[in-house]
């Protein structure tokens, strides 16, 4: 009897054990564990590389959940394009011989990402650093560049250029702003013709760069406009509503956010961010123009001519010193009669003036003044050139360039290099093979020049990067 009872208890215990295991197994079956989405491996390849382009491709990235995958592309950490579904892309208009960081970001709708990265260099120019590079600019067959040339050099060795584009017939013109790389290749151009604004018939253009060289501001006559340095996209326009006797005649950038411009015979400060006028100084002199501006150690210096003398029809040039608000503290008559002016201040507060004399010989006059405005040196160069501009070189030397605008073969150009005592270290006269009219010059770190000029043989506006000896041919 006891044995039967024990067997019954054992059977009941076994049945209860099975019942508990079944309940646990059912509970486990009710738990759903979602698998984490995984993206397949891939890598960047570069099937094509040229002087100014890089072509990339990659194996498609696949989602383990079969979700769609799109791609966002970056070049040197700047987003270039997003939402791509293809797996091949070409970066164009790049700088020759430059290293670029490329990143492709694969993204699913759930926000999962996978980054593919590579560093690739464009091909260098085949002839090396000492090569001469030549580039002509002809945007339309029925239009040509004319007028003054505004130029600013970028940190990458390229330039922002502004000129006037004159169309056939001579009655229609537009402002043309364009960017070139360090070899003169045009990256983009932008044509502008503000409604109601006269851009023919005189008036120089000037260019300033905002911080990090992301934006360029072009000042012309009585208005200004801002463009993206990367794309040329218009960003902002400002009409200063000044009269024809109060046009922009000079510009000097005193910070990343502020420029001081010569507005006729007075001065005006402009905020480069919003193009608003910060202050202005009207000096109540008509037919007088601010021709050049410089700054040093919290002071402004500027050159202004006086109203013409009726007896001689010539104007004398005055040098002014002021604080950074344009409030004049001193002035001195330089007793020169000139048509073009350039003003430099060195670290020792010495002042340099380069100009063209009002005479039939187009002689260049060079002045050096000490901080008290005493003239230390006054020289004249009789090479028949008119001074266009001057700037400090890589080692503190002074580089001045000029041109002779005549008829036929009477057109040539030249570059002079001075020490700080205005001794001519070397000069280069460009009158061989082709006559030319030099419009603007900049200097490279290796000592070669970037020349922007008109060649008589083509009549086109032309870029030439010289060799280390300044040769253009």
């Amino acid at each position: 009897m006891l044995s039967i009872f024990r067997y019954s208890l054992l059977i009941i215990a076994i049945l209860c054990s099975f019942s508990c295991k079944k309940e646990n197994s059912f509970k486990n079956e009710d738990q759903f564990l979602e698998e984490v989405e995984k993206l397949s491996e891939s890598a960047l390849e570069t099937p094509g590389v040229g002087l100014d382009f890089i072509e990339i491709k990659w194996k498609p990235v696949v989602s383990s959940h079969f979700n769609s995958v799109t791609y966002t592309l970056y070049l040197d950490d700047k987003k270039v394009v997003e939402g791509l579904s293809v797996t091949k892309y070409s970066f164009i208009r790049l700088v020759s011989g430059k290293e670029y960081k490329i990143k492709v970001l694969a993204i699913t709708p759930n926000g999962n990402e996978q980054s593919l990265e590579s560093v690739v260099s464009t091909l260098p120019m085949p002839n090396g650093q000492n090569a001469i590079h030549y580039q002509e600019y002809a945007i339309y067959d029925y239009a040509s560049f004319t007028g003054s040339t505004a130029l600013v050099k970028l940190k990458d060795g390229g330039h922002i250029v502004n000129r006037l584009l004159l169309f056939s017939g001579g009655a229609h013109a537009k402002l043309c702003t364009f960017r070139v790389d360090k070899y003169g290749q045009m990256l983009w151009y932008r044509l502008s013709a503000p409604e109601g604004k006269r851009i023919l018939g005189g008036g120089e253009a000037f260019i300033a760069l905002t911080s990090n060289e992301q934006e360029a501001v072009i000042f012309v006559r009585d208005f200004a406009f801002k463009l993206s340095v990367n794309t040329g996209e218009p960003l902002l326009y400002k009409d200063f509503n000044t009269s024809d006797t109060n046009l922009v005649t000079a510009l000097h950038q005193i910070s990343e956010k502020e420029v001081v411009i010569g507005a006729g015979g007075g001065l005006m400060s402009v905020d480069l961010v919003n193009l608003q006028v910060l202050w202005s100084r009207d000096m109540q002199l008509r037919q007088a123009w601010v021709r050049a501006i410089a700054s040093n150690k919290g002071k402004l210096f500027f050159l202004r001519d006086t109203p013409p003398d009726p007896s001689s029809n010539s104007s004398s040039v005055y040098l002014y010193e002021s604080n950074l608000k344009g409030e004049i503290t001193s002035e001195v008559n330089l007793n020169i009669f000139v048509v073009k002016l350039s003003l430099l201040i060195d670290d020792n507060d010495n002042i340099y003036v380069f100009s063209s004399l009002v005479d039939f010989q187009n002689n260049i006059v060079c002045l050096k003044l000490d901080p008290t405005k005493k003239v230390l040196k006054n020289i004249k160069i009789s090479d028949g050139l008119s001074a266009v501009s001057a700037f400090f070189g890589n080692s503190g030397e002074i580089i001045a360039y000029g041109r002779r605008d005549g008829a036929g073969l009477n057109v040539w150009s030249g570059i002079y290099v001075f020490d700080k005592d205005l001794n001519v270290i070397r000069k280069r006269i460009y009158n061989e093979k082709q006559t030319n009219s030099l419009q603007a010059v900049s200097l490279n770190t290796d000592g070669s020049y970037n020349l922007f000029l008109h060649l008589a043989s083509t009549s086109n506006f032309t870029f030439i990067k010289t060799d280390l000896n300044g040769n253009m041919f």
Side-chain angles (χ1 to χ4, degrees):
M1 185 71 180
L2 181 60
S3 173
I4 295 174
F5 178 74
R6 287 177 177 174
Y7 279 120
S8 298
L9 290 176
L10 179 61
I11 292 171
I12 292 171
I14 292 172
L15 291 174
C16 288
S17 173
F18 282 142
S19 175
C20 293
K21 289 182 179 179
K22 185 175 182 181
E23 181 181 354
N24 288 338
S25 73
F26 279 131
K27 286 182 179 179
N28 288 337
E29 289 175 3
D30 288 342
Q31 294 177 1
F32 177 74
L33 299 177
E34 183 178 2
E35 187 177 341
V36 176
E37 181 183 38
K38 296 181 180 179
L39 300 180
S40 65
E41 295 293 325
S42 184
L44 287 180
E45 300 178 24
T46 53
V49 176
L51 294 175
D52 59 356
F53 75 90
I54 297 174
E55 181 182 314
I56 61 171
K57 69 176 184 178
W58 58 96
K59 184 179 178 181
V61 176
V62 180
S63 163
S64 62
H65 288 184
F66 304 102
N67 287 323
S68 62
V69 178
T70 60
Y71 306 96
T72 299
L73 274 59
Y74 295 82
L75 186 68
D76 285 345
D77 296 322
K78 296 179 181 179
K79 185 186 293 184
V80 176
V81 65
E82 61 183 345
L84 284 182
S85 57
V86 298
T87 58
K88 187 176 182 179
Y89 190 83
S90 292
F91 297 97
I92 61 174
R93 296 179 177 177
L94 305 181
V95 176
S96 175
K98 181 179 178 181
E99 186 177 84
Y100 289 93
K101 178 184 176 183
I102 297 173
K103 181 171 75 172
V104 175
L105 196 62
I107 308 172
T108 70
N110 296 329
N112 291 330
E113 299 179 350
Q114 179 174 283
S115 180
L116 317 175
E117 298 185 15
S118 182
V119 175
V120 186
S121 296
T122 51
L123 297 179
M125 283 291 181
N127 295 325
Q129 288 295 319
N130 197 30
I132 297 172
H133 301 287
Y134 177 95
Q135 186 74 44
E136 288 188 29
Y137 306 117
I139 294 179
Y140 298 113
D141 292 338
Y142 51 88
S144 59
F145 285 107
T146 187
S148 64
T149 301
L151 180 78
V152 63
K153 190 176 181 184
L154 302 171
K155 293 177 182 177
D156 65 5
H159 298 80
I160 301 293
V161 187
N162 188 88
R163 294 215 66 192
L164 196 64
L165 193 63
L166 186 64
F167 292 84
S168 297
H172 180 54
K174 291 187 176 183
L175 293 169
C176 182
T177 309
F178 57 96
R179 179 180 178 180
V180 300
D181 65 15
K182 63 180 178 180
Y183 297 111
Q185 300 176 88
M186 187 179 290
L187 304 180
W188 55 257
Y189 72 88
R190 176 70 58 179
L191 299 181
S192 308
E195 185 176 354
K197 291 297 180 181
R198 183 167 64 93
I199 58 177
L200 282 173
E204 291 188 57
F206 303 89
I207 304 175
L209 296 173
T210 61
S211 58
N212 299 320
E213 297 188 347
Q214 295 299 304
E215 300 165 342
V217 183
I218 294 88
F219 293 81
V220 186
R221 296 182 66 84
D222 60 348
F223 62 92
F225 55 95
K226 183 187 292 188
L227 301 176
S228 165
V229 167
N230 292 325
T231 65
E233 176 188 1
L235 302 174
L236 187 61
Y237 173 82
K238 174 68 175 179
D239 188 344
F240 295 112
N241 296 313
T242 57
S243 66
D244 282 345
T245 60
N246 206 26
L247 304 178
V248 177
T249 55
L251 179 144
H252 177 68
Q253 188 162 351
I254 62 175
S255 73
E256 293 181 338
K257 296 183 178 180
E258 183 183 0
V259 293
V260 174
I261 61 177
L267 297 176
M268 186 164 67
S269 170
V270 177
D271 187 324
L272 290 175
V273 176
N274 53 28
L275 301 187
Q276 297 300 310
V277 176
L278 299 175
W279 54 261
S280 63
R281 297 283 179 265
D282 186 354
M283 300 178 189
Q284 305 298 323
L285 276 178
R286 302 308 173 198
Q287 295 181 291
W289 307 92
V290 173
R291 301 293 187 182
I293 309 171
S295 66
N296 190 46
K297 300 177 182 177
K299 300 176 183 179
L300 282 177
F301 301 84
F302 61 98
L303 299 171
R304 187 179 68 166
D305 54 15
T306 59
D309 182 348
S311 61
S312 62
N313 198 31
S314 61
S315 303
S316 183
V317 173
Y318 279 75
L319 171 64
Y320 294 85
E321 182 181 322
S322 75
N323 60 21
L324 293 181
K325 296 293 185 180
E327 297 167 334
I328 295 174
T329 55
S330 69
E331 64 179 78
V332 59
N333 187 353
L334 298 182
N335 294 310
I336 55 175
F337 303 92
V338 300
V339 292
K340 290 188 178 293
L341 290 163
S342 190
L343 177 64
L344 301 174
I345 315 290
D346 68 17
D347 293 336
N348 296 319
D349 297 331
N350 294 309
I351 302 166
Y352 303 87
V353 178
F354 293 82
S355 60
S356 298
L357 289 174
V358 181
D359 58 22
F360 293 104
Q361 303 301 318
N362 289 319
N363 292 316
I364 295 177
V365 61
C366 312
L367 298 179
K368 178 180 179 180
L369 298 86
D370 68 12
T372 68
K373 316 300 187 299
K374 177 184 177 182
V375 176
L376 301 178
K377 199 163 187 179
N378 183 345
I379 65 172
K380 184 170 69 173
I381 299 176
S382 301
D383 282 330
L385 299 176
S386 298
V388 176
S389 188
F391 56 91
F392 286 116
N394 300 326
S395 302
E397 75 278 19
I398 301 172
I399 299 169
Y401 60 92
R403 66 175 185 260
R404 168 68 178 265
D405 292 333
L409 297 177
N410 293 318
V411 181
W412 65 85
S413 304
I415 296 177
Y416 303 85
V417 180
F418 300 86
D419 63 20
K420 289 189 176 180
D421 289 324
L422 293 185
N423 299 307
V424 177
I425 303 173
R426 58 185 177 274
K427 69 178 180 178
R428 184 69 170 83
I429 303 298
Y430 297 105
N431 57 3
E432 72 278 14
K433 293 188 179 180
Q434 299 188 60
T435 56
N436 62 82
S437 178
L438 190 58
Q439 303 294 312
V441 175
S442 70
L443 182 68
N444 298 309
T445 54
D446 62 3
S448 62
Y449 296 111
N450 302 301
L451 310 180
F452 292 82
L453 45 82
H454 283 285
L455 292 178
S457 58
T458 64
S459 298
N460 286 335
F461 188 45
T462 304
F463 165 88
I464 297 177
K465 178 183 178 294
T466 73
D467 64 13
L468 301 185
N469 296 317
N471 298 315
M472 69 163 70
F473 301 109

